Amino acid sequence: MVTRLVTTFTVNGVLALALSMSWLPARAANATDIAIYKDPLCGCCAKWADHLRRNGFQVTTRDVDVAAMNKIKATHGVPAPLASCHTAIVDGYVVEGHAPAAAIQRLLHERPRIKGIAVPGMPAGSPGMEGPRASRYDILSFDAEGKTGVYESR
């Protein structure tokens, strides 16, 4: 009798939990998680995160101080000349700076043997740096040895 009672409560409890969670919004089936490490006061980083959300990414931002940011860049092999104001990790790749969502989606689709991509500096017209003037810029790739190349130009 006790076993049956415990089983009934357990089954009912699991069903109640499942039903109570049914109001939670469903996550898009094709959403890709991306973690962004950024300065807490940087507005362009927040705009870049919004750009990624609008393009189907599931964004998590983590505010970090300068020392932690430098450690994150070093840990993930970001070459110093490519460093920018934020660093993101997505599905094993590093994304440094204001890379467009389409370039990240291409990276994830093609899966090249690189550490990641970077948009050095903060070029006008890149996502998060929109304004009246846009300039052409390169999205660079980099590997574990720090070798870089042009991944794409905008």
Side-chain angles (χ1 to χ4, degrees):
M1 177 70 176
V2 171
T3 304
R4 184 174 179 197
L5 188 59
V6 169
T7 303
T8 301
F9 283 134
T10 302
V11 169
N12 287 342
V14 169
L15 288 174
L17 178 63
L19 290 173
S20 70
M21 293 176 63
S22 64
W23 63 271
L24 293 173
R27 189 170 145 194
N30 62 350
T32 300
D33 292 327
I34 187 166
I36 302 172
Y37 299 90
K38 67 177 199 64
D39 180 292
L41 302 176
C42 187
C44 68
C45 296
K47 289 180 182 178
W48 184 67
D50 290 341
H51 163 76
L52 295 179
R53 285 184 189 98
R54 286 191 307 273
N55 284 278
F57 287 90
Q58 183 72 29
V59 177
T60 302
T61 58
R62 295 185 177 109
D63 293 339
V64 296
D65 62 23
V66 173
M69 180 66 79
N70 290 337
K71 185 174 181 179
I72 290 164
K73 291 177 190 308
T75 299
H76 292 287
V78 177
L82 304 187
S84 189
C85 56
H86 56 261
T87 302
I89 308 299
V90 58
D91 201 17
Y93 288 102
V94 180
V95 179
E96 184 70 12
H98 293 265
I104 300 169
Q105 290 161 340
R106 176 182 162 212
L107 173 74
L108 297 174
H109 176 73
E110 293 177 354
R111 310 233 24 109
R113 292 178 182 242
I114 59 174
K115 290 284 283 181
I117 58 175
V119 177
M122 301 167 75
S126 62
M129 296 299 298
E130 296 88 353
R133 294 184 179 183
S135 59
R136 296 206 43 84
Y137 61 94
D138 290 330
I139 301 160
L140 304 178
S141 63
F142 60 95
D143 65 16
E145 288 76 43
K147 182 181 171 190
T148 63
V150 176
Y151 185 71
E152 171 175 314
S153 294
R154 295 275 172 134

